[in-house]
Amino acid sequence: MAADALSQVLSGSPAERVLDRTLRAHRDLSREQRQALAESVFNVGLWRRRLGFLLGNPEAPAPALLFAFLHRLAGLSPEESARLSGVGVPPALVTGEPPSLALRWSLPDWLAEHFSRELGPSAEDFCAHLNVPGPITLRVNPLRTTREALAERLRSEGVETRPGALSPLALHVVGPKPNLYGLGSLREGLFEVQDEGSQLLGLLLEARPGETVLDLCAGAGGKTLQLAAAMENRGRLLTYDPDAGRLDRLLQRCSRAGVSIVQVLRSPPEGVLADRVLADAPCSELGSLRRGPDSRFRMDPASLSALPRIQHDILARAGRLVRPGGRVVYATCTVNRAENEEVVLGFLRESPGFRLVPPGAGWLDPSCVREGFLFCAPHLHGTDGFFAAVLERGEE
């Protein structure tokens, strides 16, 4: 069963879908067996290149990879690893450290090379952190409660947390992964699940009560809810996403969160002059690879060069939709200067009425600022990787 599921993942099927199908087909498994299956699928899917190195065979089949994981990374005996993986005779494993960044941290060669170019000496640390699960981070809803009161409420529900260091809205879950969606505090709209780095993007916009604010690439609307809370549910909050289906549940989430100022747009906004525009653009998502253990192997390297044109058009639209004296925040969750700094600098060359301003002056941790832009990353801040530029339009 595990070998069949792993073979599907190694062939390119998303690990979460494969695991879900497998568990549905084997409902008689115990809780321990289900957990063991999940760990096998995710860890072998993630570590496949390093496991192939240990086996001396980059094309090793799923049972052999599972054996190498159980014995070398999970620390089981050769006999127990062989029994659980079904390999029969335990294969010999290579000793010593893998010779390349790609093999050490189980990355496609092109992606390891990209991170080396982007991050230089810190690429090793960054890639190591991509193989560690990210924390479960919550964003308090100030329309309903405070961070301190939420922590107490969660404690009463059996969930321990600690405050985030970067966002005043963040709480990190401490201990075993809880069933958050079974909590009354979530049903009452006291919090949303949101990475701390993602929270910084909404904070950089500095939305205020009574303003007209546009969330131009809203996705499922998590940052829309954050902006509504910053506006104290007063003003006009427009939200749009090219994939209209992603916004279908937003109004339900608004009701739960006590938000009534959101207007969902079903076509691209035109003729709007907003006080502030958030353009959290679609990107290659290299900053969130730790959230999907096998996503790195399903990526198309061509996207890194194809996306900047789309991102440039989005930022140009954001610039047309913000009023004189207003603010645009351009953001991505990737580590790729072509999608980040180069898009912004190209926009500034074409738009002399805009200027780059320091992000989060007076409140943002200076370690999150690089060359005048927001940059946070798992190896530096414990967040996913995020980039943002704060742009202000001059008064005309």
Side-chain angles (χ1 to χ4, degrees), residues 121-175:
S122 64
E124 187 87 34
D125 198 12
F126 175 84
C127 292
H129 280 75
L130 291 183
N131 290 15
V132 179
I136 299 173
T137 305
L138 316 178
R139 176 184 56 76
V140 65
N141 176 10
L143 295 176
R144 297 290 200 201
T145 188
T146 65
R147 183 163 70 169
E148 294 73 18
L150 175 61
E152 287 299 321
R153 171 66 182 274
L154 290 169
R155 183 173 295 112
S156 75
E157 294 176 314
V159 179
E160 291 294 328
T161 60
R162 59 177 174 82
L166 304 175
S167 165
L169 305 172
L171 285 174
H172 299 297
V173 173
V174 177

Side-chain angles (χ1 to χ4, degrees), residues 6 9-10 41-62 64-66 68-69 72-73 93-94 96-114 127 131 293-294 296-298:
L6 284 171
V9 173
L10 297 174
V41 168
F42 286 138
N43 280 293
V44 175
L46 169 64
W47 289 102
R48 65 185 74 174
R49 292 212 69 194
R50 182 164 183 141
L51 299 174
F53 165 79
L54 292 174
L55 291 160
N57 177 11
E59 304 299 325
L65 293 172
L66 181 55
F69 166 71
R72 187 59 63 84
L73 299 188
L93 299 182
V94 173
E97 188 72 5
S100 70
L101 184 71
L103 291 176
R104 281 193 295 277
W105 303 112
S106 196
L107 297 162
D109 289 330
W110 69 267
L111 188 53
E113 292 166 2
H114 173 81
C127 292
N131 290 15
D294 59 321
R296 65 191 68 184
F297 298 105
R298 292 185 283 107

